[in-house]
Amino acid sequence: MASRPRRRRLLRTLLAVLVVSSVAVPVAGAARPAAVPAPVPVPLGPLRDAAPRTLAERYAVNRDGIRAAARMAARHGDRARAAALRAMAAPARQFLAFDGRGGGRTAEVFGDLSRAQRIAVIVPGSDTSLDRYGRLGDGAAALRRELGGRSAVIAWLGYATPGTLSAEVVSPDLAAAAAPPLRRFVQELRAVRGAARIVALCHSYGSVVCGRAAAGLAVDDLVLYGSPGAGADSVAALRTRARVWAGRGADDWIAQVPHGQLELPFVTVGLGTDPVTPEFGARVFAAGGGGHSDYLRPGSLSLANLARIVAGRAPVEEAHRAA
């Protein structure tokens, strides 16, 4: 248990972060584009099987929905959103789910899900939305190339992500709301691809989402990277049978974020123990010298090791990458 002086320092730090965030939110919010209207998506129900024809039909329905959302965004006058959506509606893109309302909800497949023996589900962090989807999609594509054949990578933007400059980013509340849909999504994958190896890759605030979902998340491995915490004090507190990994790049600013969690009246502040510390108990993997947004950068050690974990292989140190 932390000493009383340490808890007081943590309390002051976290409250300072909360105050700064609450001041910054109106400024950041004013700089963001207004919510763009989008049509109600066609209800598709759970994924029942992963046969090529079934997947193709689902992808086609969502492609039509993306095009409809692009037209509505254009009529609204948001050319940037409309252009982004038109790119997402390209014939080669494969969306298992799409809802253009608000910041957007998507699940995009990279690779052939019907044949995949290894499936990675990327859970992104703060400030991820349809307007900033490119980085998530590019990273998923890079991981798919690193993994090679008989693999699939799914970019899962299935929740309302917090803003980096917001009070919500230092609270586990949004993660708690995101945990049930993440569990359901992975359970659907497990039902249709039961023999496949499924791994959750959880970046930044996505680590908190995975931490909250962990007890019922049907994955083989749970990987926390660039993590401010997982909403828990230890791997044991996650109550998961999955192997839990953690990694952080040497130049990632998230290392400076105060770690810990305090229960205050009406609010929980903080996101738990630092996952790369020994007391958390995760298997720590080398993530190279990159920054907070560099984990899926082509050619990086972090990308190579994330791919190795997804494939069920041991991660390597920089000196042994050629082995």
Side-chain angles (χ1 to χ4, degrees):
M1 181 177 292
S3 65
R4 184 171 297 178
R6 181 182 174 188
R7 286 183 61 83
R8 287 175 177 169
R9 287 196 300 272
L10 177 62
L11 175 60
R12 287 196 298 269
T13 302
L14 290 173
L15 288 177
V17 171
L18 191 62
V19 170
V20 170
S21 298
S22 66
V23 172
V25 167
V27 177
R32 287 175 165 179
V36 182
V40 176
V42 175
L44 291 173
L47 186 64
R48 299 297 183 187
D49 67 78
R53 180 175 178 178
T54 300
L55 292 174
E57 291 172 351
R58 197 176 186 98
Y59 297 154
V61 170
N62 285 315
R63 190 173 300 115
D64 289 343
I66 295 170
R67 288 170 177 158
R71 291 191 295 270
M72 189 172 286
R75 289 196 298 270
H76 182 70
D78 194 319
R79 296 180 180 178
R81 171 74 67 88
L85 289 169
R86 284 193 292 268
M88 294 169 74
R93 305 289 288 268
Q94 304 177 141
F95 284 87
L96 284 173
F98 175 81
D99 185 343
R101 294 171 297 180
R105 303 287 189 277
T106 67
E108 184 177 11
V109 178
F110 296 79
D112 186 352
L113 183 59
S114 68
R115 299 175 64 249
Q117 295 177 339
R118 303 174 302 278
I119 302 172
V121 179
I122 300 176
V123 183
S126 61
D127 283 327
T128 307
S129 66
L130 294 179
D131 295 319
R132 298 184 178 184
Y133 184 82
R135 180 175 291 168
L136 174 60
D138 290 346
L143 179 60
R144 171 62 179 80
R145 290 192 297 270
E146 187 78 17
L147 282 165
R150 303 303 295 270
S151 66
V153 177
I154 301 174
W156 185 82
L157 177 55
Y159 75 110
T161 66
T164 299
L165 295 176
S166 73
E168 292 171 323
V169 82
V170 294
S171 165
D173 289 352
L174 287 180
L182 177 59
R183 289 192 195 106
R184 288 194 297 270
F185 180 76
V186 173
Q187 192 58 52
E188 287 181 30
L189 290 178
R190 183 62 72 189
V192 300
R193 297 296 301 158
R197 174 176 167 76
I198 303 177
V199 175
L201 302 182
C202 317
H203 178 236
S204 193
Y205 190 86
S207 298
V208 194
V209 175
C210 289
R212 285 301 174 105
L217 198 61
V219 295
D220 298 285
D221 288 67
L222 190 66
V223 188
L224 315 173
Y225 58 102
S227 173
D233 290 332
S234 65
V235 168
L238 296 177
R239 296 183 292 115
T240 177
R241 295 181 180 180
R243 285 174 295 188
V244 180
W245 301 84
R248 184 163 64 217
D251 199 31
D252 190 341
W253 58 262
I254 207 76
Q256 307 306 318
V257 170
H259 292 88
Q261 196 164 64
L262 295 170
E263 298 289 341
L264 302 175
F266 310 111
V267 66
T268 298
V269 181
L271 303 174
T273 302
D274 186 345
V276 300
T277 58
E279 54 264 37
F280 188 77
R283 305 178 184 210
V284 177
F285 67 93
H292 191 63
S293 300
D294 296 333
Y295 291 93
L296 298 176
R297 179 170 50 83
S300 64
L301 176 62
S302 53
L303 177 64
N305 274 340
L306 287 170
R308 291 179 71 92
I309 293 170
V310 172
R313 303 170 64 195
V316 298
E317 299 293 333
E318 182 71 50
H320 302 105
R321 287 188 67 185

